[in-house]
Amino acid sequence: MGCKVLAYGHAGKTFSDQPLLTNLGCILQIATEAAGVLLSWFVNDIEIEDEEDPIRRNFIAIVNHDPFHTQRISVRLDPAAHAQFILTMSDEDSTAVTAMQSQKKVIGGEIGPANPAVVTKILGPGDMEVVYWDVEIDYDIP
């Protein structure tokens, strides 16, 4: 798919001998209830209609690696990144998701300067949330 992985590791609490992340890219802070939440930061160059050059889009996948238990996570995003969560099937019915895909648009709740608060998400066993941002900010890559 043309993506490049920049960093990955477990968040909040970790399985033994795994790298522990407390922040990553636009995620300034993440807390989990239990072990098994994996963060993966990857980038992809995206062609945007009406734009001459492709933009570099950053993504962070937040995955519950526990196949049996639900995880509650708390995420604080950098307001400067204007990051958004991508909607998942649990957020919208399949008709709306199909319509979004056919329009090649990604929508979600903006977590930029208008709402810098901590966001709490519930991840079912094996579920994933994805955050993306386009603003060019020089975050450290662990």
Side-chain angles (χ1 to χ4, degrees), residues 86-88 92 95-108:
I86 295 175
L87 292 180
T88 61
E92 285 289 322
T95 305
V97 172
T98 302
M100 287 180 347
Q101 291 169 342
S102 67
Q103 295 172 6
K104 296 185 179 176
K105 292 182 180 178
V106 178
I107 61 173

Side-chain angles (χ1 to χ4, degrees), residues 73-91:
I73 61 168
S74 296
V75 180
R76 186 168 61 93
L77 299 175
D78 181 357
H82 299 278
Q84 296 186 33
F85 282 92
I86 295 175
L87 292 180
T88 61
M89 291 297 279
S90 62
D91 294 321

Side-chain angles (χ1 to χ4, degrees), residues 10-11 13-15 32-39 62-73 122-128:
H10 283 86
K13 298 178 181 180
T14 183
F15 295 120
T32 68
E33 291 181 324
V37 174
L38 177 69
L39 299 177
I62 306 168
V63 181
N64 179 4
H65 268 200
D66 190 326
F68 305 109
H69 301 97
T70 298
Q71 282 270 23
R72 179 186 307 273
I73 61 168
I122 305 296
L123 295 176
D127 279 356
M128 174 177 66

Side-chain angles (χ1 to χ4, degrees), residues 8-15 17-23 30 32 37 39 142:
Y8 61 90
H10 283 86
K13 298 178 181 180
T14 183
F15 295 120
D17 299 328
Q18 296 295 314
L20 177 63
L21 298 173
T22 55
N23 64 326
I30 185 163
T32 68
V37 174
L39 299 177

